Amino acid sequence: MQEENPRGSAHGHRPTLPEHKPVTLRVNGTAHQLSLAPWTSLLDALRENLHLTGTKKGCDHGQCGACTVLVDGKRINSCLTLAIMQENTDITTVEGLATNGQLHPVQQGFIDHDAFQCGYCTPGQICSVVGLVNEGKAKSIDDIKDLMSGNICRCGAYVNILKVAQEALERAKTT
Ligand code: FES
Ligand code: FES
């Protein structure tokens, strides 16, 4: 009897792909039960399965920050983590920041400081500023620049993004 080759047969048959797995993701306070291929990135699960397209795909390689979301309040590049690894975490996307129809102060800050042009990097920048404040490591302008350096803005809106981040850190000190 011929042994089964998990990589596919010598006659060029395609290998059998693993089954999709049930995955529960808690996003913006709501639990969603999904069936995902195990290699699905959190970014693809958010955009393609949950249709939360505020989170952007730039490089898909951890180099631009467009896909930044918050996991348990801290920033991650959602293109670099598998959805299946984020069960039992609290995921917040840009869609989950406003409350009762009121923009999050950091979202408002981007408008007030005119901190975007095309807007493609903006959801990631906004989540990154919120995470920066939560993480509590930025103490100076240089710290902000350093800790926000993973979020690339091809329009070069950095000066005004920096103002939003400074303001958010100041606000955190007084609340
Ligand atoms: Fe994730 Fe660029 S899309 S870092
Ligand atoms: Fe265009 Fe940042 S506003 S990439």
Side-chain angles (χ1 to χ4, degrees):
M1 192 175 105
Q2 206 178 348
E3 233 177 273
E4 208 172 293
N5 179 357
R7 291 167 166 276
S9 79
H11 308 296
H13 291 149
R14 285 177 157 235
T16 309
L17 295 175
E19 294 293 318
H20 283 207
K21 307 268 184 217
V23 180
T24 303
L25 293 181
R26 204 160 52 246
V27 183
N28 301 330
T30 304
H32 301 269
Q33 276 157 8
L34 302 172
S35 174
L36 299 175
W39 58 83
T40 305
S41 68
L42 177 59
L43 174 60
D44 284 343
L46 291 172
R47 288 181 56 85
E48 308 300 331
N49 297 85
L50 295 176
H51 309 296
L52 292 169
T53 53
T55 306
K56 301 300 182 214
K57 184 182 278 193
C59 63
D60 212 16
H61 282 91
Q63 290 174 358
C64 74
C67 65
T68 305
V69 298
L70 302 170
V71 168
D72 295 333
K74 302 210 170 128
R75 298 170 289 173
I76 64 162
N77 288 332
S78 59
C79 69
L80 286 189
T81 186
L82 297 177
I84 209 163
M85 293 164 65
Q86 298 306 333
E87 286 197 298
N88 307 315
T89 65
D90 273 308
I91 300 157
T92 305
T93 68
V94 71
E95 290 91 343
L97 292 177
T99 40
N100 301 325
Q102 186 124 29
L103 290 180
H104 186 286
V106 171
Q107 291 175 304
Q108 189 62 49
F110 270 76
I111 295 170
D112 296 344
H113 290 287
D114 201 14
F116 54 91
Q117 289 178 40
C118 78
Y120 198 81
C121 73
T122 311
Q125 302 277 7
I126 289 171
C127 286
S128 200
V129 172
V130 174
L132 180 83
V133 173
N134 291 345
E135 291 156 21
K137 291 187 192 145
K139 306 288 176 212
S140 66
I141 291 182
D142 283 345
D143 288 346
I144 299 174
K145 287 183 184 167
D146 192 30
L147 293 165
M148 290 288 296
S149 64
N151 289 83
I152 306 298
C153 175
R154 293 188 194 282
C155 300
Y158 294 112
V159 174
N160 291 349
I161 293 170
L162 185 61
K163 286 183 196 160
V164 179
Q166 278 181 281
E167 191 179 79
L169 287 166
E170 284 304 315
R171 192 167 43 240
K173 277 191 211 156
T174 57
T175 51

